[in-house]
Amino acid sequence: MQVAMIGLGRMGMNMARRLLQGGHKVVVWNRSPDKVTAMVNEGAIGAESIKEAIQKLTCPRVVWCMLPAGNVTDMALKEILDTLVPDDMVIEGGNSYWKDDLEHAKAFYQKGCGYIDAGVSGGVWGLKVGYCTMVGGKDRHVRRAKPLFDTLAPPRGWKHVGPVGSGHFVKMVHNGIEYAMMEAIGEGFDLMHNGPFDKLDLGGIADLWGQGSVIRSWLLELLTTAYKRDPDLSSIKGYVDDSGEGRWTVLNSIEYGVSTPVLAQSLFKRFESRQGDVYSNKVLAALRKEFGGHPVKTK
Amino acid sequence: MQVAMIGLGRMGMNMARRLLQGGHKVVVWNRSPDKVTAMVNEGAIGAESIKEAIQKLTCPRVVWCMLPAGNVTDMALKEILDTLVPDDMVIEGGNSYWKDDLEHAKAFYQKGCGYIDAGVSGGVWGLKVGYCTMVGGKDRHVRRAKPLFDTLAPPRGWKHVGPVGSGHFVKMVHNGIEYAMMEAIGEGFDLMHNGPFDKLDLGGIADLWGQGSVIRSWLLELLTTAYKRDPDLSSIKGYVDDSGEGRWTVLNSIEYGVSTPVLAQSLFKRFESRQGDVYSNKVLAALRKEFGGHPVKTK
Amino acid sequence: MQVAMIGLGRMGMNMARRLLQGGHKVVVWNRSPDKVTAMVNEGAIGAESIKEAIQKLTCPRVVWCMLPAGNVTDMALKEILDTLVPDDMVIEGGNSYWKDDLEHAKAFYQKGCGYIDAGVSGGVWGLKVGYCTMVGGKDRHVRRAKPLFDTLAPPRGWKHVGPVGSGHFVKMVHNGIEYAMMEAIGEGFDLMHNGPFDKLDLGGIADLWGQGSVIRSWLLELLTTAYKRDPDLSSIKGYVDDSGEGRWTVLNSIEYGVSTPVLAQSLFKRFESRQGDVYSNKVLAALRKEFGGHPVKTK
Amino acid sequence: MQVAMIGLGRMGMNMARRLLQGGHKVVVWNRSPDKVTAMVNEGAIGAESIKEAIQKLTCPRVVWCMLPAGNVTDMALKEILDTLVPDDMVIEGGNSYWKDDLEHAKAFYQKGCGYIDAGVSGGVWGLKVGYCTMVGGKDRHVRRAKPLFDTLAPPRGWKHVGPVGSGHFVKMVHNGIEYAMMEAIGEGFDLMHNGPFDKLDLGGIADLWGQGSVIRSWLLELLTTAYKRDPDLSSIKGYVDDSGEGRWTVLNSIEYGVSTPVLAQSLFKRFESRQGDVYSNKVLAALRKEFGGHPVKTK
């Protein structure tokens, strides 16, 4: 079928490729035009604006929005909505907060347009193995976009999980779990690195655990690769970014009264990884000096 | 080759089977004799005592000890050691603490016998897919036992990770990670269960996440099966046992000064799951009453 | 000076008393009129509506709003604002979220009225020892209300901490710390209760720690009293409510990228204390059954 | 009464002073003799060896051992035991692990000597306000040492909490709570430092909270002093040591199956405060690069 892919970042670029490889007609737009040119060379139809991208489709049209969450997505959705006519639809596939989807969808519905939120997981490997896709929206809209999901996802790898917002909600929880799984692995390998046995082959152990152990997982496969690149991880700084989903997961767990200590701790540890000198620790050092005369390290 | 399997519990029984299927000659002993009979029917050679089991092998002999960690294993290893002669060896495959291996091995070495510690993961599925096996010990001992590991493990699924003790150490860390991965998944599904979207198909989502998502893992596959059995988990009480490895992992992380907040929290949550009324919470309720006049629930 | 106290709950009632004892003229209103009657008997002036309470003051008037946070406070503030005239002012002393203060203050400012947010700590003991009061607002408004704060607080016990909202923000953080201090004490006493020494006199230890130890604190004094009432806490269920401040503290820490693992964990533990069977634990029990054949407890 | 003080560190020195001020005859020994000289100038009797210190007392003798826990204390206790005769007694007042007390006491009992373990809190302020002292041992031994405890502690500030070992056990839990209370305060002040309101007077708020708030505590008083010294804590590095008690508390909580997430997390945060680049975070950064192509910071 036809689709416009708005945004050719790390995710959108490869998704456009996978759609092209699946035989779809893909119109692409990106803020920096060089990526558009690249995709045109691979068979896509280029556009110089969001409006033009949409206009190159025939009605009823499907637009896939794949931009950074927040203002960029808000503004793009506004422009898309202005261009669409009734029976057209948008698929918001970026990392939007599910509560924003509820607002966005309302505007599209009011104009008689469709709105789907699609949470997409798979990272840079999605092009090859397919993207796990969590879809929220109305039945008739999801039915219409089905050929796209069938192409993007691996077998059994996409699901209509519920009404609008639920796709991003489920993806958000996925990322919350991802943070904590990564932290679990990180802590375990830290203990092996600093524990009693010198010279454990950590990459080999990551690979080993991928074969028949209870914790076998894709993350361990990736870690095997990472250790192959750098057996000591000596070139890597322990600086870990976090995106919105990890935060939203914990915010939501508080809102709904769900205890998520491990998800929260995984988030906080990322915060600290980026702070040179954690202020709370300074307070502790100051206190220890006051009551115990313990020396403090000065800068 | 020949091996005596001492202990036919959930793990030992299936491991004996897999060894038999691999063409090895397996002598079996178990405290309750019915399991011995069952294995004899499947081709094993039965024995009525540990001593007899060993004596049915030809020298140099290999004895696999697969009993509950602690006293039971200690006593069995003592009996095995008494029966072995120089050049025989034991493989301690139970859930022993790696520090105990150091002691045990010393005694076997002194008599001229071999000692290997093997951490085995795979649960009830190991019979079918093979057991991920982490092996600690001396090169020449591991070389001798190689045919057993080759049979028990899936391809690339066993590894000589280091000196005596390191097999169980690595397996211990594996289980620490396992606890936290499970907790991560549990918390995420709790949020989906109690969050804003009713009637999410949690089993379907577990299955979906197995296909191309970043967190795809065997645990999610198992959870899919669990939800198929009981879509609401309504028949299951949130009572979660813990075995030694989870505790040892945290004890070791403290001993070696490694920060493992997520591993520790996963352990503590299991403690609480088994306590009707957590005492620390009673202290809090009592305090709230004192300073705020807040009502307390009485029993 | 004159003041209208709107709301005679656990906090408002005693604050009105302390103001009366300090020689102020206090007009009181409460939803249920019996408390108004009670305060009239103690020297207050009663009112049958918020409007009437305000009208019994002479301009420029000061109204202290001391109602449950959320809708009740929102509606009362609206009614107060409708009744006030320029140069009157309101002190919002309930447990409002500091972000709501920003909105509320804007409306009062627009009408030429003053707005102060006052975070008040002290619980049922405030009547006797005074209320620790954290004040946010404009200098000239705070100066006007000074006589009230001087009466309500113990010596050095109130402070103008910053602009509007900062009073409730600082009080919010106070409560976040309170949750974690309580949890710290609770966990320690749990370990003493379940540890190796039988029959430790926990109430006596709480009292002991109040005398010269590093952790001496009012909470330990309160715990001493609680143990005097019930040496085993056997009549108390470990069911712990939480109010908005504890949640907001963690929400804010995520918003501002501050790592607060201990504050968050204290909140989550309260969530769990109120849940019969924590769902995440059910997921774990289900998983353990699948991979290890471990028995689950059924309901 | 008479007592020998073995060890004149930060704690022992001031305790000797307080005992002298209380009218006791105090013989002192210290590894570096200058502190002995200093105390002799203040009225103590100096000794050049542990043996000599003990011999300068008249029987039955009481020796207070106040040395760093571990090997130093083990060796000193051995020397003390060799010198003592039946009916003499030792008070182990250092930071020994309570399980070590059980071993030590056995040796002293066998020789007919007394053994008391005394957990002492109070830091550098103990000289002035007295030391909160938790005492474990046999009734008759504690009775004999009572005059010392009466002098050292503030009113109601010492307690015979149980049999040998319980003094250090209770002190250990005290320190576990101390870690978490400090962490709670640290996190709260971090949020105020990094939150929405600039230029909050954090020292003033610490002082304010000491007046009538629910969290009033000595630690907040100390923090007030610390902020007076350095309003931004800018001269202090967030490097926080930990001593044995914090670790033992968590080890014991695991041994006895008590959930202490907040105590554990406070310990782990100290570990991380001392590590330049936390290894677990490097694992996470490496993983993020593998699955998402996220850039890593290199060293």
Side-chain angles (χ1 to χ4, degrees):
Chain A
M1 61 184 286
Q2 297 184 341
V3 64
M5 179 64 67
I6 305 303
L8 296 173
R10 261 196 302 267
M11 293 293 283
M13 187 87 155
N14 279 343
M15 288 164 70
R17 282 193 179 111
R18 196 166 161 101
L19 288 167
L20 282 171
Q21 291 166 5
H24 300 283
K25 173 181 164 189
V26 185
V27 186
V28 297
W29 173 84
N30 191 61
R31 195 167 53 91
S32 65
D34 50 328
K35 291 192 170 176
V36 175
T37 309
M39 288 308 299
V40 168
N41 290 336
E42 299 187 30
I45 298 158
E48 294 190 358
S49 69
I50 292 177
K51 194 174 177 181
E52 187 195 326
I54 295 171
Q55 288 170 339
K56 288 193 169 172
L57 302 173
T58 52
C59 289
R61 301 171 292 194
V62 177
V63 181
W64 192 299
C65 185
M66 204 68 199
L67 292 164
N71 279 342
V72 175
T73 289
D74 288 352
M75 283 166 57
L77 286 175
K78 204 169 171 341
E79 196 174 342
I80 291 168
L81 179 57
D82 286 346
T83 310
L84 294 192
V85 299
D87 284 334
D88 290 343
M89 63 181 279
V90 74
I91 301 170
E92 162 42 28
N95 286 326
S96 288
Y97 189 31
W98 64 269
K99 292 189 179 184
D100 292 338
D101 287 315
L102 304 188
E103 294 306 307
H104 291 145
K106 201 181 296 178
F108 281 80
Y109 290 169
Q110 276 168 354
K111 196 173 176 176
C113 298
Y115 186 98
I116 284 177
D117 57 295
V120 183
S121 180
V124 292
W125 292 83
L127 172 59
K128 191 174 159 199
V129 301
Y131 298 90
C132 182
T133 308
M134 295 141 260
V135 178
K138 298 191 178 181
D139 278 345
R140 67 174 189 278
H141 300 141
V142 176
R143 257 197 310 272
R144 180 127 56 95
K146 183 176 181 298
L148 301 175
F149 300 134
D150 285 341
T151 298
L152 283 170
R156 261 168 51 228
W158 74 272
K159 185 176 168 72
H160 181 194
V161 296
V164 151
S166 64
H168 276 136
F169 173 79
V170 171
K171 173 59 164 48
M172 174 195 83
V173 175
H174 168 279
N175 283 33
I177 295 173
E178 175 192 304
Y179 278 34
M181 274 197 178
M182 290 171 70
E183 175 66 22
I185 291 170
E187 294 181 7
F189 278 79
D190 196 339
L191 180 53
M192 290 194 292
H193 179 76
N194 286 300
F197 294 97
D198 285 345
K199 293 186 254 172
L200 290 175
D201 168 17
L202 298 185
I205 290 170
D207 180 58
L208 173 68
W209 285 349
Q211 322 307 323
S213 93
V214 170
I215 62 173
R216 59 189 183 260
S217 54
W218 190 51
L219 287 166
L220 281 173
E221 293 176 39
L222 294 173
L223 188 56
T224 306
T225 311
Y227 273 115
K228 269 184 196 147
R229 282 191 223 281
D230 180 353
D232 298 320
L233 306 184
S234 55
S235 69
I236 290 173
K237 213 173 167 312
Y239 181 103
V240 192
D241 273 312
D242 73 283
S243 58
E245 290 97 338
R247 300 189 178 205
W248 296 327
T249 302
V250 184
L251 295 177
N252 274 244
S253 75
I254 294 172
E255 182 173 351
Y256 296 103
V258 175
S259 173
T260 57
V262 157
L263 305 190
Q265 176 53 27
S266 302
L267 178 65
F268 291 138
K269 196 134 165 299
R270 292 188 174 201
F271 287 176
E272 290 189 40
S273 81
R274 305 194 300 260
Q275 296 166 358
D277 202 13
V278 178
Y279 189 82
S280 53
N281 293 339
K282 291 160 71 96
V283 172
L284 266 67
L287 279 173
R288 275 171 53 82
K289 184 185 170 194
E290 292 301 327
F291 71 70
H294 302 285
V296 294
K297 298 231 169 186
T298 51
K299 302 226 175 188
Chain B
M1 63 184 283
Q2 297 183 341
V3 65
M5 179 64 66
I6 306 302
L8 296 173
R10 263 196 302 267
M11 293 293 283
M13 186 87 154
N14 280 343
M15 288 164 70
R17 280 191 181 114
R18 196 165 161 100
L19 288 167
L20 282 172
Q21 291 167 5
H24 300 284
K25 173 182 163 188
V26 185
V27 186
V28 297
W29 174 83
N30 193 60
R31 196 167 52 90
S32 65
D34 50 329
K35 291 191 170 175
V36 175
T37 308
M39 287 309 297
V40 168
N41 290 337
E42 298 187 30
I45 298 159
E48 293 190 358
S49 69
I50 292 177
K51 194 173 175 180
E52 188 194 326
I54 295 171
Q55 288 170 338
K56 288 193 169 173
L57 302 173
T58 53
C59 288
R61 300 171 293 193
V62 177
V63 182
W64 192 299
C65 185
M66 203 68 198
L67 292 165
N71 280 341
V72 175
T73 289
D74 289 351
M75 284 165 56
L77 286 174
K78 204 167 171 345
E79 197 173 342
I80 291 167
L81 180 56
D82 286 346
T83 311
L84 293 192
V85 298
D87 284 334
D88 290 342
M89 63 181 280
V90 72
I91 301 170
E92 161 43 27
N95 286 326
S96 288
Y97 188 31
W98 65 269
K99 292 190 178 183
D100 293 337
D101 287 315
L102 304 188
E103 294 305 308
H104 291 145
K106 201 181 295 177
F108 280 80
Y109 289 169
Q110 277 168 354
K111 197 173 175 177
C113 297
Y115 186 98
I116 284 177
D117 58 294
V120 183
S121 180
V124 293
W125 292 82
L127 173 58
K128 192 173 158 199
V129 301
Y131 298 90
C132 182
T133 307
M134 295 140 259
V135 178
K138 299 193 177 180
D139 278 346
R140 67 174 188 278
H141 298 143
V142 175
R143 258 196 310 273
R144 180 126 56 95
K146 183 175 181 300
L148 301 177
F149 300 135
D150 284 341
T151 298
L152 284 171
R156 259 168 51 227
W158 75 271
K159 185 177 168 71
H160 181 192
V161 294
V164 151
S166 66
H168 276 135
F169 173 79
V170 171
K171 172 60 163 47
M172 176 196 81
V173 175
H174 167 280
N175 283 33
I177 296 173
E178 175 192 304
Y179 278 34
M181 274 197 177
M182 289 171 70
E183 175 64 22
I185 292 170
E187 293 181 8
F189 279 79
D190 197 339
L191 180 53
M192 290 195 292
H193 179 76
N194 285 299
F197 293 98
D198 286 344
K199 293 187 253 173
L200 289 174
D201 169 17
L202 298 186
I205 290 170
D207 180 58
L208 173 69
W209 285 348
Q211 322 307 322
S213 94
V214 170
I215 62 173
R216 59 188 183 261
S217 54
W218 191 50
L219 287 166
L220 281 174
E221 292 176 39
L222 294 174
L223 189 55
T224 307
T225 311
Y227 273 115
K228 269 183 197 148
R229 282 191 223 281
D230 180 354
D232 298 320
L233 306 185
S234 55
S235 69
I236 291 173
K237 214 175 166 311
Y239 181 103
V240 192
D241 273 312
D242 72 285
S243 58
E245 289 99 338
R247 300 188 178 205
W248 296 327
T249 303
V250 183
L251 294 177
N252 275 244
S253 75
I254 294 172
E255 183 173 350
Y256 296 102
V258 175
S259 173
T260 56
V262 157
L263 304 190
Q265 176 54 27
S266 301
L267 178 65
F268 291 138
K269 197 135 164 296
R270 291 189 174 199
F271 288 176
E272 290 190 40
S273 81
R274 305 194 300 260
Q275 296 167 359
D277 203 13
V278 178
Y279 189 82
S280 53
N281 293 339
K282 291 160 70 96
V283 172
L284 266 67
L287 280 173
R288 275 171 53 82
K289 184 186 171 194
E290 292 302 326
F291 72 69
H294 300 288
V296 294
K297 297 231 170 187
T298 51
K299 302 225 173 185
Chain C
M1 62 184 285
Q2 297 184 343
V3 65
M5 178 64 68
I6 305 302
L8 296 172
R10 264 196 301 265
M11 293 293 283
M13 186 88 155
N14 280 342
M15 288 165 71
R17 282 193 180 111
R18 196 165 161 102
L19 288 167
L20 282 171
Q21 291 166 5
H24 300 284
K25 174 182 162 188
V26 185
V27 186
V28 297
W29 173 83
N30 192 60
R31 196 168 53 91
S32 65
D34 50 329
K35 291 192 170 175
V36 175
T37 309
M39 287 309 297
V40 167
N41 289 336
E42 299 187 29
I45 298 160
E48 293 190 0
S49 69
I50 292 177
K51 193 173 177 182
E52 187 195 326
I54 296 170
Q55 288 171 337
K56 287 191 169 174
L57 301 172
T58 53
C59 289
R61 299 171 295 193
V62 177
V63 181
W64 193 298
C65 184
M66 204 67 200
L67 292 164
N71 279 343
V72 176
T73 289
D74 288 352
M75 284 166 57
L77 286 175
K78 204 168 171 342
E79 197 174 341
I80 291 166
L81 179 56
D82 286 345
T83 311
L84 293 192
V85 299
D87 283 335
D88 291 341
M89 63 180 279
V90 73
I91 301 170
E92 161 43 27
N95 287 325
S96 288
Y97 189 31
W98 65 271
K99 292 190 177 181
D100 292 337
D101 287 316
L102 305 187
E103 294 306 307
H104 292 145
K106 202 181 296 177
F108 280 81
Y109 289 169
Q110 277 168 353
K111 196 173 176 176
C113 298
Y115 186 98
I116 284 177
D117 58 294
V120 183
S121 180
V124 293
W125 292 82
L127 173 57
K128 192 172 158 201
V129 301
Y131 298 90
C132 182
T133 308
M134 295 140 259
V135 178
K138 298 192 177 181
D139 278 346
R140 66 175 191 279
H141 299 142
V142 175
R143 258 197 310 274
R144 180 126 56 93
K146 183 175 181 299
L148 301 176
F149 299 135
D150 284 341
T151 297
L152 283 171
R156 262 170 48 229
W158 74 272
K159 185 176 169 71
H160 181 192
V161 295
V164 151
S166 65
H168 276 136
F169 173 77
V170 172
K171 172 58 164 49
M172 175 196 82
V173 175
H174 167 280
N175 283 33
I177 295 174
E178 175 192 304
Y179 278 35
M181 274 198 177
M182 289 171 70
E183 176 64 23
I185 292 171
E187 292 180 9
F189 278 79
D190 197 338
L191 180 52
M192 291 195 291
H193 180 75
N194 286 300
F197 294 98
D198 285 345
K199 292 186 255 173
L200 290 175
D201 169 17
L202 298 185
I205 290 169
D207 181 58
L208 173 69
W209 286 348
Q211 323 306 323
S213 93
V214 170
I215 62 172
R216 59 188 184 261
S217 54
W218 190 51
L219 286 166
L220 281 174
E221 294 176 38
L222 294 173
L223 189 55
T224 307
T225 311
Y227 273 116
K228 270 184 195 146
R229 281 191 223 281
D230 179 354
D232 298 319
L233 306 185
S234 55
S235 69
I236 291 173
K237 214 173 165 315
Y239 181 103
V240 192
D241 272 313
D242 72 284
S243 58
E245 289 98 339
R247 300 187 178 206
W248 297 327
T249 303
V250 184
L251 295 177
N252 274 243
S253 74
I254 294 172
E255 182 173 351
Y256 296 102
V258 175
S259 172
T260 57
V262 158
L263 304 190
Q265 175 53 27
S266 301
L267 178 65
F268 291 137
K269 198 136 162 299
R270 292 188 174 201
F271 288 176
E272 290 189 41
S273 81
R274 304 194 301 261
Q275 295 166 359
D277 203 14
V278 178
Y279 189 81
S280 54
N281 292 338
K282 292 159 69 95
V283 172
L284 266 66
L287 280 173
R288 275 171 53 81
K289 184 185 171 194
E290 291 302 327
F291 71 70
H294 301 286
V296 296
K297 296 230 170 188
T298 51
K299 302 228 176 184
Chain D
M1 62 183 285
Q2 297 184 340
V3 65
M5 179 64 67
I6 306 302
L8 297 173
R10 263 197 302 267
M11 293 293 284
M13 186 87 155
N14 280 343
M15 287 165 71
R17 282 192 179 112
R18 196 166 160 101
L19 288 168
L20 282 172
Q21 290 166 6
H24 300 284
K25 174 182 162 188
V26 185
V27 186
V28 298
W29 174 84
N30 192 59
R31 196 168 52 92
S32 65
D34 50 328
K35 290 192 171 175
V36 175
T37 309
M39 288 309 298
V40 167
N41 289 337
E42 299 186 29
I45 297 159
E48 293 189 359
S49 69
I50 293 178
K51 193 174 177 179
E52 187 195 327
I54 295 171
Q55 288 170 339
K56 287 193 170 173
L57 302 173
T58 53
C59 288
R61 300 171 293 193
V62 176
V63 181
W64 192 299
C65 185
M66 203 69 199
L67 292 165
N71 279 341
V72 176
T73 289
D74 289 352
M75 284 166 57
L77 286 175
K78 204 167 170 345
E79 196 173 341
I80 291 167
L81 179 57
D82 287 345
T83 311
L84 294 192
V85 299
D87 284 336
D88 290 342
M89 64 182 278
V90 73
I91 301 171
E92 162 43 28
N95 286 326
S96 288
Y97 189 30
W98 64 269
K99 292 190 178 182
D100 292 337
D101 287 316
L102 303 188
E103 293 306 307
H104 291 145
K106 202 181 295 179
F108 279 81
Y109 290 169
Q110 277 167 353
K111 196 173 176 176
C113 298
Y115 186 99
I116 284 177
D117 58 294
V120 184
S121 180
V124 292
W125 292 82
L127 174 59
K128 192 173 158 199
V129 301
Y131 298 90
C132 182
T133 308
M134 295 140 258
V135 178
K138 298 192 177 180
D139 278 346
R140 67 174 190 277
H141 298 142
V142 176
R143 258 197 309 275
R144 180 127 57 94
K146 183 175 182 297
L148 300 176
F149 300 135
D150 284 342
T151 298
L152 284 171
R156 263 172 44 228
W158 73 272
K159 185 176 168 72
H160 181 193
V161 295
V164 151
S166 65
H168 277 135
F169 174 78
V170 171
K171 173 58 164 47
M172 175 196 83
V173 175
H174 168 280
N175 283 33
I177 295 173
E178 176 192 304
Y179 279 33
M181 274 197 177
M182 289 171 71
E183 175 65 23
I185 292 170
E187 293 180 8
F189 278 79
D190 197 338
L191 180 52
M192 290 195 292
H193 179 76
N194 286 300
F197 294 98
D198 285 345
K199 291 186 255 175
L200 289 175
D201 169 16
L202 298 186
I205 290 169
D207 180 58
L208 173 69
W209 284 349
Q211 323 306 323
S213 93
V214 170
I215 62 172
R216 59 190 184 259
S217 54
W218 190 51
L219 287 166
L220 281 174
E221 293 177 38
L222 294 173
L223 188 56
T224 307
T225 310
Y227 273 115
K228 270 183 195 145
R229 282 191 222 280
D230 180 353
D232 297 320
L233 306 185
S234 54
S235 70
I236 290 173
K237 212 174 167 313
Y239 181 103
V240 192
D241 272 312
D242 74 284
S243 58
E245 290 98 338
R247 299 187 178 205
W248 297 327
T249 302
V250 183
L251 295 177
N252 274 243
S253 75
I254 294 172
E255 182 173 352
Y256 296 103
V258 175
S259 172
T260 57
V262 157
L263 304 190
Q265 175 53 27
S266 301
L267 178 65
F268 291 138
K269 197 136 163 297
R270 291 188 174 201
F271 288 176
E272 290 189 41
S273 81
R274 304 193 302 259
Q275 296 165 359
D277 203 12
V278 178
Y279 189 81
S280 53
N281 293 338
K282 291 160 69 96
V283 172
L284 265 67
L287 280 173
R288 274 171 54 81
K289 184 185 170 195
E290 292 301 327
F291 70 71
H294 301 287
V296 295
K297 297 230 170 188
T298 51
K299 301 224 171 186

